[in-house]
Amino acid sequence: MTEQQFLSLVDRHEAGLRLLALSLTRNQADAEDALQEAMVVAYVARERLREAQSFLPWVRRILARECLRLYRRVITPMEPAAIHETLAGCEDQTDLTIWSMLQHLPEDLRQVVALRYVADLSQVEVARMLGIPVGTVKSRLNRALTLLRADLQEKGGGSNAL
């Protein structure tokens, strides 16, 4: 992948990647740090990526690893004022909806949902990244989806979306 192709893809997916980082780190500064580190790692390894359509899942995995690495090193609280600025830059309503719903989940459930469905990692990869058994990932996903369905039903959205 050429430098120009890489930069074009980063530009196209930046808002969604920023939301993924924010939903995993829950802190604007940490999300920016993780995003920057992930982009450096991805840029250096860009020549290994053969197809442009594989870019988003590939870069999401890199970003998720960076967020978790940072998260394990320093855990900082969510900054609501900074979140508004990030959300204003996102035009994808699906990303905004997912991000908003994830914020109501407990930390352990939010992490597995973000890694599994937002970062598009397999259950095995999520387990490996978090250092927990696959069965724990499955049970956390089940609990999280149950809570999200209840939240949707409470808001009148039905349960077919989950």
Side-chain angles (χ1 to χ4, degrees), residues 110-128:
R110 185 181 52 76
Q111 281 186 335
V112 295
V113 170
L115 291 171
R116 176 65 186 101
Y117 297 111
V118 180
D120 199 30
L121 301 177
S122 71
Q123 292 177 355
V124 172
E125 290 170 317
V126 172
R128 199 173 316 135

Side-chain angles (χ1 to χ4, degrees), residues 2-156:
T2 68
E3 180 177 350
Q4 187 59 36
Q5 289 171 318
F6 177 83
L7 294 175
S8 174
L9 287 168
V10 167
D11 192 45
R12 184 181 323 154
H13 298 291
E14 182 179 3
L17 293 171
R18 196 173 300 283
L19 283 175
L20 173 61
L22 190 57
S23 65
L24 288 171
T25 63
R26 298 181 60 95
N27 176 283
Q28 183 72 27
D30 291 344
E32 292 296 328
D33 288 347
L35 184 59
Q36 186 174 15
E37 288 296 321
M39 291 306 102
V40 168
V41 169
Y43 179 81
V44 169
R46 76 183 187 283
E47 293 177 0
R48 286 188 254 157
L49 186 64
R50 294 185 187 121
E51 299 175 14
Q53 63 263 27
S54 301
F55 174 79
L56 192 55
W58 176 71
V59 80
R60 281 179 176 162
R61 283 185 177 94
I62 293 170
L63 179 56
R65 277 193 300 271
E66 286 301 317
C67 287
L68 288 175
R69 185 187 60 75
L70 181 65
Y71 185 80
R72 287 184 183 120
R73 194 176 52 183
V74 58
I75 300 173
T76 54
M78 183 82 124
E79 298 172 358
I83 294 167
H84 179 69
E85 182 182 322
T86 300
L87 295 178
C90 185
E91 297 174 8
D92 187 340
Q93 196 60 38
T94 302
D95 284 345
L96 291 173
T97 302
I98 291 170
W99 189 87
S100 174
M101 292 177 70
L102 286 177
Q103 299 320 299
H104 299 292
L105 292 174
E107 182 69 23
D108 60 335
L109 303 181
R110 185 181 52 76
Q111 281 186 335
V112 295
V113 170
L115 291 171
R116 176 65 186 101
Y117 297 111
V118 180
D120 199 30
L121 301 177
S122 71
Q123 292 177 355
V124 172
E125 290 170 317
V126 172
R128 199 173 316 135
M129 285 186 101
L130 295 176
I132 59 176
V134 175
T136 302
V137 170
K138 290 178 181 181
S139 67
R140 287 181 184 177
L141 285 172
N142 185 41
R143 283 196 326 246
L145 293 176
T146 299
L147 290 172
L148 291 171
R149 279 187 197 104
D151 190 30
L152 277 175
Q153 286 177 339
E154 186 177 297
K155 293 178 181 177

